[in-house]
Structures are given as structure tokens and as C-alpha cells.
């Protein structure tokens, strides 16, 4: 599933990112190879599979891991931006048993993290 909506504020954005992570957990459990056992393995595997692509102009697109990996929205398997990579990584980390997961945001202005 993809989620496209107008930017409201950071709290709303993080809520919807969390919902996409939750929806991605089952797919992550099926898609993640057996050799991925920790965060380092996970990062290497995701980096080998994911291709960075900007969201369409004027949209903030949040894709589940399944949507990104299958290319349902972009037509390109594994294509997504930073938040899509984050959604996939958090879902996989959950599957690996990590429970205290945090997102660090950085940006030039508090209202517009990048």
C-alpha cells in the first residue's frame, strides 16, 4: 500500500510512517533472507536491493516494504526515498527482535526535516 497526503506537521508524518512500518512487518518476515541476523547485515542487504528515487514532484509518498520491493507504485523494484528505506529497515529490525527503535531527524528548519 502507498500513502500520499499533504504535509500537515511532523507528528502526523511520523504517525503515518509508523502505520506503514506496522503494515510492512509480515512482508519483511517473508522477504528478509536467512543470512540477515543483525543491523549490519540488514543494512548491507537493503543497500544492495534498494535504489534511491525521489518522490514524485509535489508528493510525500510513504510506501510499505511490499510496495517498494515490488515496484507497484514506481514501476521499478526497490525504488524509494529515505522514508521508504526507513519503513523497510524498521519493519525488518522488528522481525529481528529489536524493540527499542528510534528515528533521528535532521534538517535546516524544525518544521521541515530532511
Amino acid at each position: 500500500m502507498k500513502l500520499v497526503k499533504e504535509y500537515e506537521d511532523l507528528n502526523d508524518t511520523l504517525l503515518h510512517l509508523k502505520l506503514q512500518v506496522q503494515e510492512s512487518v509480515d512482508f519483511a518476515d517473508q522477504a528478509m533472507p536467512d543470512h540477515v541476523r543483525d543491523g549490519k547485515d540488514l543494512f548491507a542487504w537493503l543497500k544492495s536491493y534498494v535504489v534511491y528515487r525521489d518522490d514524485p514532484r509535489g508528493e510525500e509518498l510513504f510506501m510499505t516494504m511490499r510496495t517498494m520491493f515490488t515496484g507497484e507504485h514506481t514501476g521499478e523494484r526497490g525504488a524509494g526515498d529515505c522514508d521508504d528505506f526507513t519503513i523497510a529497515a524498521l519493519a525488518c529490525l522488528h522481525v529481528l527482535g529489536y524493540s527499542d527503535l528510534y528515528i533521528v531527524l535532521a534538517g535546516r528548519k524544525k518544521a521541515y526535516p530532511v
Side-chain angles (χ1 to χ4, degrees):
M1 179 175 85
K2 65 178 181 169
L3 176 64
V4 181
K5 62 187 299 297
E6 272 191 47
Y7 181 80
E8 289 181 32
D9 60 29
L10 184 56
N11 290 329
D12 182 67
T13 298
L14 291 173
L15 169 66
H16 287 91
L17 189 135
K18 180 180 178 180
L19 294 172
Q20 295 300 76
V21 171
Q22 290 170 336
E23 190 167 322
S24 296
V25 170
D26 287 342
F27 181 82
D29 192 30
Q30 297 169 6
M32 196 169 36
D34 291 336
H35 76 271
V36 175
R37 294 198 169 108
D38 59 26
K40 185 177 177 182
D41 294 341
L42 175 62
F43 184 78
W45 173 64
L46 285 175
K47 286 295 286 181
S48 73
Y49 194 88
V50 174
V51 178
Y52 183 87
R53 296 288 183 260
D54 286 329
D55 286 336
R57 189 166 179 81
E59 291 183 6
E60 181 55 60
L61 177 65
F62 295 103
M63 290 188 279
T64 62
M65 188 175 176
R66 178 188 309 275
T67 299
M68 183 176 64
F69 270 48
T70 62
E72 290 172 26
H73 181 71
T74 63
E76 182 179 8
R77 289 176 179 258
D81 68 357
C82 294
D83 50 62
D84 304 313
F85 185 91
T86 300
I87 289 166
L90 289 170
C92 290
L93 287 167
H94 179 78
V95 170
L96 289 172
Y98 291 82
S99 58
D100 292 331
L101 301 171
Y102 300 90
I103 298 171
V104 176
L105 301 172
R108 293 173 199 88
K109 295 181 180 179
K110 184 177 180 180
Y112 300 102
V114 293

